[in-house]
Amino acid sequence: MLLLRCPLPLLLLLLPLDSRPQKLPTRDEELFQMQIRDKAFFHDSSVIPDGAEISSYLFRDTPKRYFFVVEEDNTPLAVTVTPCDAPLEWKLSVQELPEEASGEGSGDPEPLEQQKQQITNEEGTELFSYKGNDVEYFVSSSSPSGLYQLDLLSTEKDTHFKVYATTTPESDQPYPELPYDPRIDVTSLGRTTVTLAWKPSPTASLLRQPIQYCIVINKEHNFKSLCAVEAKLSSDDAFMMAPKPGLDFSPFDFAHFGFPADNNSGKERGFLKSSKFGRQTSPKPRVDLHRVCVGNKNIFTVSDLKPDTQYYFDMFAVNTNTNMSTAYVGTFARTKEEAKQKTVELKDGKVTDVFIKRKGAKFLRFAPVSSHQKVTFSVHSCLDAVQIQVRRDGKLLLSQSVEGVRQFQLRGKAKAKYLIRLKGSKKGASMLKILATSRPNKQSFPSLPEDTRIKAFDKLRTCSSVTVAWLGTQERNKFCIYKREVDDNYNEEQKKREQNQCLGPDTRKKSEKVLCKYFHSQNIQKAVTTETIRGLQPGKSYLLDVYVIGHGGHSVKYQSKLVKTRKFC
């Protein structure tokens, strides 16, 4: 028994032409594997090989016919047709093989075209037909001998498809088998994550064949085959280019579906360059579709999804030996809604503390009770920079990154309402203080110079003292300096962790206080003050902090400075 693996003219020449019935040779597995490796063997062929999945192309409203021969009655037969990106109409029929030539005993063979007409012009008996985009099968444990015809048609659009036929379905089993419950279960659902679980394929658990599972996620619909997914993903590259009519096979077909490409055979026939293809489909826009293969896992969490969005999930078991796949029953799920943000009401002239999770955001609202010409927003970022956006009655007025202390003055509007969005750092949690006021003289935050570093004078270092300097402003403010002894291995990383600028002098020990003084200068170039800290121990390290305290009592810390006294004097 055999599914012939040769071009149709050769197939017809092999048909018996003398008066005695002749059997066709049975499938030679070694020969078959050799032919599969020789891709050129199938070029220009309408013959389906036994036990190999082929891929081909249909032009819209242009039917295509394939042939194969079953030589003995009561032969098992399985045919699988996989539509890729459009529904197909297909029909399988069989007709008897001619047992005698009509040459009236002369022994001369009939012309080839007459033989072809004699076989293919007969209608044959229809065995099965289907119309749709499902992966559909014809399976028979006892099929009659004859010439089988597979007719395919796409009435919707040009499309790809796959065909697999075998006379040894029990032993081949190229497609992974589905478990008794082929559904995908949604075991956990979050705002940005969905956890999926599925039962393993018996092909992996019982037959010990190499199976990997591939998950496909999209927002449109479920897919019935991995072929359909490939078509969607590759809608604008060579996979979707239409070959010339009649050229069913090319090195591309085999390279794409698990066979290594042979450049030489392709060049000889002129199939390799994309410019050799026939008409091309117009490029389609990229779709929001993702595929991830997870090996032999049976549970997987899909992350980075959007809240309150419906997603479709498909699972495919792929036999890595044959590169053929079977689809589980797909599912869909809607992610949970984003937790509604509580909007904090800001009171005019009052400082509000805000904490923001890593990558999180907070919303605040400011509604001045009286008419106003200007509104001022003062922001003090305690740690890393934060993003601030201010909208007035829905219109964006401000979008800035804030590090340290910043003040923004915006034009006011009668009965206006302001929505403030604060977005935290990607590095970690953010803390800040914010003040909104419609009264221009109500300022709780002290003004700061652009440079808030403390400078230490190395030449003025002694065994018991250090001299430092820092910048001030034109506004008269109170400055307090504090010291703390630290270990010699105290480093910049530890200092960085303690750089919360919002912690005021009230959090420090009284013994750490050095002094407080008022300072300002009308000439900004001369707004510099120095201070010598005495009573230190030789060869010891100290962390120095300077706090500037505004009229409203709010303090801001300058950048900490690590100093060390001389060990020997």
Side-chain angles (χ1 to χ4, degrees):
M1 168 289 134
L2 176 69
L3 294 182
L4 276 182
R5 302 169 296 281
C6 57
L8 181 60
L10 181 58
L11 181 151
L12 294 170
L13 282 174
L14 290 173
L15 295 177
L17 299 178
D18 58 23
S19 57
R20 293 179 300 145
Q22 295 183 7
K23 283 189 177 182
L24 295 175
T26 55
R27 167 167 155 174
D28 184 332
E29 190 64 30
E30 184 177 348
L31 175 63
F32 170 61
Q33 294 300 330
M34 179 197 73
Q35 291 167 343
I36 286 295
R37 287 191 294 271
D38 182 11
K39 274 74 67 177
F41 184 84
F42 292 111
H43 286 183
D44 300 316
S45 173
S46 295
V47 176
I48 299 176
D50 188 356
E53 187 179 62
I54 66 168
S55 63
S56 192
Y57 197 88
L58 273 176
F59 291 107
R60 183 170 62 87
D61 295 329
T62 304
K64 182 172 283 190
R65 174 172 290 178
Y66 287 92
F67 300 91
F68 58 90
V69 169
V70 173
E71 69 168 51
E72 295 178 356
D73 288 331
N74 304 317
T75 297
L77 176 63
V79 178
T80 303
V81 177
T82 304
C84 289
D85 52 343
L88 295 181
E89 298 178 23
W90 62 276
K91 177 180 71 173
L92 182 67
S93 56
V94 63
Q95 55 182 281
E96 292 183 4
L97 290 170
E99 297 198 2
E100 294 183 3
S102 56
E104 298 182 355
S106 64
D108 296 328
E110 294 180 352
L112 188 60
E113 283 304 312
Q114 292 183 25
Q115 297 179 42
K116 185 176 179 180
Q117 293 290 331
Q118 180 181 355
I119 297 175
T120 61
N121 279 352
E122 298 177 15
E123 264 311 305
T125 303
E126 182 177 314
L127 300 176
F128 183 80
S129 64
Y130 174 76
K131 181 178 180 180
N133 59 357
D134 283 327
V135 179
E136 195 56 67
Y137 313 86
F138 169 80
V139 179
S140 174
S141 58
S142 179
S143 297
S145 61
L147 177 67
Y148 283 73
Q149 295 176 187
L150 178 64
D151 296 287
L152 302 106
L153 177 68
S154 173
T155 57
E156 218 174 81
K157 62 178 181 177
D158 299 350
T159 182
H160 280 88
F161 66 92
K162 293 182 180 182
V163 175
Y164 173 79
T166 179
T167 56
T168 53
E170 290 299 321
S171 59
D172 284 3
Q173 295 186 343
Y175 295 99
E177 187 180 345
L178 289 176
Y180 68 90
D181 182 3
R183 294 174 298 179
I184 306 170
D185 294 321
V186 177
T187 60
S188 177
L189 196 62
R191 289 191 296 271
T192 60
T193 60
V194 173
T195 300
L196 306 172
W198 58 94
K199 294 177 176 59
S201 165
T203 306
S205 58
L206 299 178
L207 301 181
R208 303 296 180 186
Q209 291 191 28
I211 299 295
Q212 75 165 342
Y213 300 98
C214 294
I215 303 168
V216 174
I217 310 107
N218 80 105
K219 299 178 186 176
E220 295 182 6
H221 55 76
N222 288 110
F223 288 91
K224 297 183 178 180
S225 69
L226 200 52
C227 174
V229 175
E230 293 284 355
K232 196 78 169 178
L233 282 172
S234 310
S235 58
D236 59 353
D237 61 22
F239 179 69
M240 290 303 293
M241 291 182 182
K244 291 180 181 179
L247 305 182
D248 296 341
F249 292 91
S250 75
F252 174 78
D253 293 323
F254 288 93
H256 190 82
F257 294 104
F259 295 87
D262 185 343
N263 291 353
N264 293 331
S265 64
K267 287 177 182 176
E268 289 170 5
R269 292 185 153 268
F271 287 98
L272 231 126
K273 295 181 180 178
S274 61
S275 59
K276 296 284 184 178
F277 285 94
R279 59 174 173 167
Q280 299 178 4
T281 58
S282 57
K284 300 176 184 177
R286 281 286 182 187
V287 292
D288 190 8
L289 187 151
H290 303 278
R291 177 180 59 184
V292 56
C293 294
V294 299
N296 57 5
K297 294 179 182 178
N298 296 121
I299 187 168
F300 184 76
T301 298
V302 184
S303 56
D304 296 325
L305 303 176
K306 292 181 179 180
D308 194 25
T309 304
Q310 181 157 303
Y311 289 91
Y312 294 85
F313 303 95
D314 292 290
M315 171 66 58
F316 300 94
V318 182
N319 187 324
T320 56
N321 280 345
T322 63
N323 207 24
M324 295 163 78
S325 60
T326 305
Y328 278 62
V329 177
T331 188
F332 61 89
R334 178 174 289 273
T335 50
K336 291 183 178 179
E337 292 183 12
E338 189 74 75
K340 291 184 178 180
Q341 290 279 0
K342 290 183 179 180
T343 303
V344 178
E345 293 286 343
L346 295 178
K347 292 184 178 180
D348 198 328
K350 188 174 181 180
V351 176
T352 301
D353 295 306
V354 181
F355 175 80
I356 308 172
K357 293 180 180 179
R358 177 176 173 266
K359 294 184 179 180
K362 282 288 177 71
F363 291 90
L364 303 94
R365 183 174 173 270
F366 179 53
V369 294
S370 59
S371 60
H372 56 284
Q373 291 183 336
K374 292 181 180 179
V375 62
T376 303
F377 293 96
S378 300
V379 181
H380 181 191
S381 176
C382 306
L383 299 170
D384 296 314
V386 295
Q387 295 286 332
I388 179 172
Q389 284 186 348
V390 179
R391 295 178 184 271
R392 185 184 64 204
D393 299 331
K395 182 181 180 181
L396 182 65
L397 301 180
L398 171 71
S399 182
Q400 288 276 337
S401 176
V402 176
E403 194 167 5
V405 175
R406 290 287 300 275
Q407 191 175 88
F408 306 98
Q409 199 167 68
L410 306 174
R411 184 177 295 177
K413 187 178 179 182
K415 298 181 180 180
K417 293 180 176 61
Y418 300 85
L419 182 67
I420 303 99
R421 181 179 185 266
L422 299 168
K423 187 176 182 182
S425 168
K426 294 180 180 179
K427 299 177 183 177
S430 301
M431 290 185 290
L432 58 95
K433 294 177 181 288
I434 184 168
L435 176 142
T437 181
S438 57
R439 292 170 284 177
N441 297 325
K442 186 73 173 178
Q443 301 297 334
S444 291
F445 291 119
S447 58
L448 287 176
E450 288 187 7
D451 190 346
T452 59
R453 292 176 297 175
I454 302 171
K455 178 177 174 58
F457 298 96
D458 187 62
K459 290 183 178 180
L460 301 179
R461 254 189 334 136
T462 70
C463 291
S464 61
S465 68
V466 293
T467 301
V468 294
W470 65 90
L471 298 177
T473 66
Q474 293 172 315
E475 181 183 334
R476 188 171 184 269
N477 286 316
K478 182 181 179 181
F479 293 87
C480 293
I481 186 165
Y482 284 74
K483 64 175 173 56
R484 178 165 63 92
E485 186 179 333
V486 294
D487 295 333
D488 288 338
N489 58 1
Y490 188 88
N491 54 37
E492 289 296 320
E493 187 62 33
Q494 289 173 285
K495 188 174 75 172
K496 189 176 180 181
R497 288 200 296 267
E498 297 178 1
Q499 285 298 312
N500 186 344
Q501 291 186 336
C502 295
L503 295 177
D506 55 322
T507 63
R508 304 295 296 261
K509 296 178 181 177
K510 287 184 179 181
S511 59
E512 295 176 350
K513 183 178 178 179
V514 177
L515 60 86
C516 290
K517 68 177 183 179
Y518 286 90
F519 164 70
H520 79 289
S521 176
Q522 293 300 324
N523 185 348
I524 195 66
Q525 302 296 328
K526 295 182 180 180
V528 181
T529 185
T530 61
E531 195 64 45
T532 299
I533 297 105
R534 307 180 191 278
L536 306 179
Q537 297 297 316
K540 297 293 184 181
S541 297
Y542 293 88
L543 192 69
L544 303 181
D545 288 308
V546 170
Y547 297 89
V548 54
I549 303 168
H551 300 302
H554 184 75
S555 63
V556 178
K557 184 163 71 76
Y558 278 49
Q559 296 180 40
S560 299
K561 181 66 178 179
L562 186 65
V563 295
K564 188 173 184 178
T565 55
R566 294 188 186 277
K567 195 170 185 180
F568 303 104
C569 295

PDB file of all heavy atoms in Angstrom, residues 45-63:
ATOM      1  N   SER A  45       4.757  19.581  -7.914  1.00  0.00           N
ATOM      2  CA  SER A  45       4.070  18.320  -7.698  1.00  0.00           C
ATOM      3  C   SER A  45       2.677  18.546  -7.161  1.00  0.00           C
ATOM      4  O   SER A  45       2.435  19.464  -6.383  1.00  0.00           O
ATOM      5  CB  SER A  45       4.870  17.466  -6.704  1.00  0.00           C
ATOM      6  OG  SER A  45       4.135  16.315  -6.376  1.00  0.00           O
ATOM      7  N   SER A  46       1.746  17.703  -7.581  1.00  0.00           N
ATOM      8  CA  SER A  46       0.400  17.690  -7.016  1.00  0.00           C
ATOM      9  C   SER A  46       0.168  16.391  -6.265  1.00  0.00           C
ATOM     10  O   SER A  46      -0.967  16.009  -6.016  1.00  0.00           O
ATOM     11  CB  SER A  46      -0.645  17.836  -8.135  1.00  0.00           C
ATOM     12  OG  SER A  46      -0.518  19.096  -8.744  1.00  0.00           O
ATOM     13  N   VAL A  47       1.237  15.707  -5.935  1.00  0.00           N
ATOM     14  CA  VAL A  47       1.149  14.438  -5.235  1.00  0.00           C
ATOM     15  C   VAL A  47       1.452  14.656  -3.754  1.00  0.00           C
ATOM     16  O   VAL A  47       2.402  15.347  -3.405  1.00  0.00           O
ATOM     17  CB  VAL A  47       2.130  13.411  -5.835  1.00  0.00           C
ATOM     18  CG1 VAL A  47       2.111  12.127  -5.034  1.00  0.00           C
ATOM     19  CG2 VAL A  47       1.772  13.149  -7.280  1.00  0.00           C
ATOM     20  N   ILE A  48       0.632  14.086  -2.883  1.00  0.00           N
ATOM     21  CA  ILE A  48       0.834  14.209  -1.439  1.00  0.00           C
ATOM     22  C   ILE A  48       1.766  13.092  -0.984  1.00  0.00           C
ATOM     23  O   ILE A  48       1.480  11.913  -1.210  1.00  0.00           O
ATOM     24  CB  ILE A  48      -0.504  14.112  -0.689  1.00  0.00           C
ATOM     25  CG1 ILE A  48      -1.435  15.249  -1.129  1.00  0.00           C
ATOM     26  CG2 ILE A  48      -0.281  14.169   0.812  1.00  0.00           C
ATOM     27  CD1 ILE A  48      -2.809  15.180  -0.505  1.00  0.00           C
ATOM     28  N   PRO A  49       2.871  13.418  -0.331  1.00  0.00           N
ATOM     29  CA  PRO A  49       3.775  12.365   0.170  1.00  0.00           C
ATOM     30  C   PRO A  49       3.163  11.687   1.396  1.00  0.00           C
ATOM     31  O   PRO A  49       2.386  12.295   2.134  1.00  0.00           O
ATOM     32  CB  PRO A  49       5.045  13.137   0.529  1.00  0.00           C
ATOM     33  CG  PRO A  49       4.571  14.511   0.833  1.00  0.00           C
ATOM     34  CD  PRO A  49       3.391  14.770  -0.060  1.00  0.00           C
ATOM     35  N   ASP A  50       3.554  10.465   1.605  1.00  0.00           N
ATOM     36  CA  ASP A  50       3.036   9.688   2.726  1.00  0.00           C
ATOM     37  C   ASP A  50       3.793  10.049   4.000  1.00  0.00           C
ATOM     38  O   ASP A  50       5.006   9.906   4.069  1.00  0.00           O
ATOM     39  CB  ASP A  50       3.194   8.199   2.424  1.00  0.00           C
ATOM     40  CG  ASP A  50       2.496   7.323   3.451  1.00  0.00           C
ATOM     41  OD1 ASP A  50       1.955   7.843   4.433  1.00  0.00           O
ATOM     42  OD2 ASP A  50       2.504   6.109   3.261  1.00  0.00           O
ATOM     43  N   GLY A  51       3.061  10.510   5.024  1.00  0.00           N
ATOM     44  CA  GLY A  51       3.669  10.723   6.325  1.00  0.00           C
ATOM     45  C   GLY A  51       4.456  12.007   6.475  1.00  0.00           C
ATOM     46  O   GLY A  51       5.255  12.125   7.396  1.00  0.00           O
ATOM     47  N   ALA A  52       4.243  13.000   5.592  1.00  0.00           N
ATOM     48  CA  ALA A  52       4.931  14.282   5.718  1.00  0.00           C
ATOM     49  C   ALA A  52       3.920  15.412   5.563  1.00  0.00           C
ATOM     50  O   ALA A  52       3.060  15.358   4.672  1.00  0.00           O
ATOM     51  CB  ALA A  52       6.036  14.420   4.678  1.00  0.00           C
ATOM     52  N   GLU A  53       4.008  16.412   6.429  1.00  0.00           N
ATOM     53  CA  GLU A  53       3.112  17.566   6.334  1.00  0.00           C
ATOM     54  C   GLU A  53       3.649  18.525   5.278  1.00  0.00           C
ATOM     55  O   GLU A  53       4.823  18.884   5.284  1.00  0.00           O
ATOM     56  CB  GLU A  53       3.024  18.282   7.679  1.00  0.00           C
ATOM     57  CG  GLU A  53       1.990  19.394   7.704  1.00  0.00           C
ATOM     58  CD  GLU A  53       1.910  20.060   9.067  1.00  0.00           C
ATOM     59  OE1 GLU A  53       2.929  20.634   9.492  1.00  0.00           O
ATOM     60  OE2 GLU A  53       0.840  19.999   9.712  1.00  0.00           O
ATOM     61  N   ILE A  54       2.781  18.924   4.360  1.00  0.00           N
ATOM     62  CA  ILE A  54       3.182  19.880   3.330  1.00  0.00           C
ATOM     63  C   ILE A  54       2.465  21.198   3.586  1.00  0.00           C
ATOM     64  O   ILE A  54       1.396  21.240   4.191  1.00  0.00           O
ATOM     65  CB  ILE A  54       2.868  19.368   1.909  1.00  0.00           C
ATOM     66  CG1 ILE A  54       1.352  19.250   1.706  1.00  0.00           C
ATOM     67  CG2 ILE A  54       3.573  18.061   1.615  1.00  0.00           C
ATOM     68  CD1 ILE A  54       0.935  19.027   0.258  1.00  0.00           C
ATOM     69  N   SER A  55       3.058  22.292   3.126  1.00  0.00           N
ATOM     70  CA  SER A  55       2.419  23.602   3.193  1.00  0.00           C
ATOM     71  C   SER A  55       2.292  24.142   1.777  1.00  0.00           C
ATOM     72  O   SER A  55       3.175  23.948   0.952  1.00  0.00           O
ATOM     73  CB  SER A  55       3.241  24.560   4.049  1.00  0.00           C
ATOM     74  OG  SER A  55       4.516  24.773   3.460  1.00  0.00           O
ATOM     75  N   SER A  56       1.184  24.801   1.508  1.00  0.00           N
ATOM     76  CA  SER A  56       0.974  25.329   0.173  1.00  0.00           C
ATOM     77  C   SER A  56       0.114  26.582   0.240  1.00  0.00           C
ATOM     78  O   SER A  56      -0.226  27.059   1.329  1.00  0.00           O
ATOM     79  CB  SER A  56       0.327  24.265  -0.722  1.00  0.00           C
ATOM     80  OG  SER A  56       0.369  24.691  -2.083  1.00  0.00           O
ATOM     81  N   TYR A  57      -0.256  27.090  -0.930  1.00  0.00           N
ATOM     82  CA  TYR A  57      -0.915  28.384  -1.039  1.00  0.00           C
ATOM     83  C   TYR A  57      -2.093  28.273  -1.994  1.00  0.00           C
ATOM     84  O   TYR A  57      -2.028  27.565  -2.997  1.00  0.00           O
ATOM     85  CB  TYR A  57       0.091  29.413  -1.569  1.00  0.00           C
ATOM     86  CG  TYR A  57      -0.324  30.835  -1.349  1.00  0.00           C
ATOM     87  CD1 TYR A  57      -0.002  31.494  -0.178  1.00  0.00           C
ATOM     88  CD2 TYR A  57      -1.040  31.535  -2.311  1.00  0.00           C
ATOM     89  CE1 TYR A  57      -0.377  32.813   0.046  1.00  0.00           C
ATOM     90  CE2 TYR A  57      -1.422  32.859  -2.104  1.00  0.00           C
ATOM     91  CZ  TYR A  57      -1.087  33.491  -0.929  1.00  0.00           C
ATOM     92  OH  TYR A  57      -1.470  34.788  -0.724  1.00  0.00           O
ATOM     93  N   LEU A  58      -3.157  28.972  -1.639  1.00  0.00           N
ATOM     94  CA  LEU A  58      -4.343  29.026  -2.497  1.00  0.00           C
ATOM     95  C   LEU A  58      -4.631  30.466  -2.872  1.00  0.00           C
ATOM     96  O   LEU A  58      -4.654  31.342  -1.997  1.00  0.00           O
ATOM     97  CB  LEU A  58      -5.567  28.468  -1.756  1.00  0.00           C
ATOM     98  CG  LEU A  58      -5.837  26.967  -1.797  1.00  0.00           C
ATOM     99  CD1 LEU A  58      -7.038  26.653  -0.910  1.00  0.00           C
ATOM    100  CD2 LEU A  58      -6.098  26.492  -3.215  1.00  0.00           C
ATOM    101  N   PHE A  59      -4.854  30.711  -4.166  1.00  0.00           N
ATOM    102  CA  PHE A  59      -5.381  31.996  -4.573  1.00  0.00           C
ATOM    103  C   PHE A  59      -6.902  31.963  -4.439  1.00  0.00           C
ATOM    104  O   PHE A  59      -7.537  30.924  -4.613  1.00  0.00           O
ATOM    105  CB  PHE A  59      -4.991  32.312  -6.014  1.00  0.00           C
ATOM    106  CG  PHE A  59      -3.519  32.588  -6.182  1.00  0.00           C
ATOM    107  CD1 PHE A  59      -2.697  31.661  -6.803  1.00  0.00           C
ATOM    108  CD2 PHE A  59      -2.973  33.759  -5.705  1.00  0.00           C
ATOM    109  CE1 PHE A  59      -1.347  31.915  -6.952  1.00  0.00           C
ATOM    110  CE2 PHE A  59      -1.619  34.013  -5.850  1.00  0.00           C
ATOM    111  CZ  PHE A  59      -0.800  33.097  -6.476  1.00  0.00           C
ATOM    112  N   ARG A  60      -7.468  33.094  -4.126  1.00  0.00           N
ATOM    113  CA  ARG A  60      -8.917  33.169  -3.928  1.00  0.00           C
ATOM    114  C   ARG A  60      -9.651  32.720  -5.194  1.00  0.00           C
ATOM    115  O   ARG A  60      -9.315  33.114  -6.315  1.00  0.00           O
ATOM    116  CB  ARG A  60      -9.319  34.606  -3.566  1.00  0.00           C
ATOM    117  CG  ARG A  60     -10.800  34.775  -3.281  1.00  0.00           C
ATOM    118  CD  ARG A  60     -11.090  36.149  -2.698  1.00  0.00           C
ATOM    119  NE  ARG A  60     -10.734  37.213  -3.610  1.00  0.00           N
ATOM    120  CZ  ARG A  60     -11.548  37.701  -4.559  1.00  0.00           C
ATOM    121  NH1 ARG A  60     -12.755  37.205  -4.697  1.00  0.00           N
ATOM    122  NH2 ARG A  60     -11.142  38.674  -5.350  1.00  0.00           N
ATOM    123  N   ASP A  61     -10.668  31.863  -4.966  1.00  0.00           N
ATOM    124  CA  ASP A  61     -11.536  31.353  -6.042  1.00  0.00           C
ATOM    125  C   ASP A  61     -10.768  30.547  -7.081  1.00  0.00           C
ATOM    126  O   ASP A  61     -11.262  30.348  -8.204  1.00  0.00           O
ATOM    127  CB  ASP A  61     -12.294  32.491  -6.732  1.00  0.00           C
ATOM    128  CG  ASP A  61     -13.267  33.179  -5.789  1.00  0.00           C
ATOM    129  OD1 ASP A  61     -13.784  32.501  -4.877  1.00  0.00           O
ATOM    130  OD2 ASP A  61     -13.505  34.396  -5.944  1.00  0.00           O
ATOM    131  N   THR A  62      -9.558  30.078  -6.747  1.00  0.00           N
ATOM    132  CA  THR A  62      -8.791  29.234  -7.666  1.00  0.00           C
ATOM    133  C   THR A  62      -8.600  27.872  -7.014  1.00  0.00           C
ATOM    134  O   THR A  62      -7.783  27.734  -6.095  1.00  0.00           O
ATOM    135  CB  THR A  62      -7.422  29.859  -7.987  1.00  0.00           C
ATOM    136  OG1 THR A  62      -7.619  31.161  -8.515  1.00  0.00           O
ATOM    137  CG2 THR A  62      -6.656  29.007  -8.995  1.00  0.00           C
ATOM    138  N   PRO A  63      -9.353  26.849  -7.443  1.00  0.00           N
ATOM    139  CA  PRO A  63      -9.255  25.542  -6.776  1.00  0.00           C
ATOM    140  C   PRO A  63      -7.907  24.882  -7.021  1.00  0.00           C
ATOM    141  O   PRO A  63      -7.219  25.160  -8.006  1.00  0.00           O
ATOM    142  CB  PRO A  63     -10.402  24.738  -7.403  1.00  0.00           C
ATOM    143  CG  PRO A  63     -10.654  25.396  -8.714  1.00  0.00           C
ATOM    144  CD  PRO A  63     -10.341  26.842  -8.543  1.00  0.00           C
TER     145      PRO A  63
END
